[in-house]
Amino acid sequence: MRASTLRPRVHLLVCTHARRPDDPLRSGCGASGPAVFATLKRATAGIAARVWVTATGCLGHCPRSGCSVVLHPHNEHLVEVVEGDVPAVLAQALGGR
């Protein structure tokens, strides 16, 4: 094992976990997560060395609509995120709240 030399400024984790329609934990992430992930990837294409975007499984909070996004190293967990929120998510991640 060795340490990587890659050091992103921020790492965005986007839940894309799909649940069964009858699951009581909701399925917002499965419905919205893939589109939010794809939009974030497109929006960060020119700054991919500074901002990493990763699709994940469950992040522990299942919103009824939208998806969950975690911002590291900010230790922030956003919920009910939809595609239209991507500019605000990036502004928050990069410090321009």
Side-chain angles (χ1 to χ4, degrees):
M1 174 176 62
R2 68 181 179 84
S4 172
T5 59
L6 301 174
R7 301 281 192 266
R9 180 174 171 191
V10 66
H11 191 172
L12 306 175
L13 306 173
V14 181
C15 181
T16 58
H17 184 73
R19 296 186 183 278
R20 292 184 327 271
D22 62 339
D23 192 311
L25 293 177
R26 316 288 185 252
S27 59
C29 292
S32 300
V36 170
F37 170 74
T39 302
L40 278 166
K41 289 295 274 189
R42 282 191 303 275
T44 58
I47 56 172
R50 292 187 307 142
V51 179
W52 288 359
V53 180
T54 303
T56 71
C58 185
L59 292 170
H61 184 91
C62 305
R64 189 174 304 265
S65 64
C67 69
S68 292
V69 177
V70 171
L71 287 62
H72 283 291
H74 306 320
N75 198 29
E76 295 182 42
H77 189 164
L78 307 174
V79 294
E80 299 181 357
V81 178
V82 295
E83 272 186 278
D85 295 326
V86 165
V89 169
L90 286 175
Q92 185 167 341
L94 296 172
R97 300 171 192 222

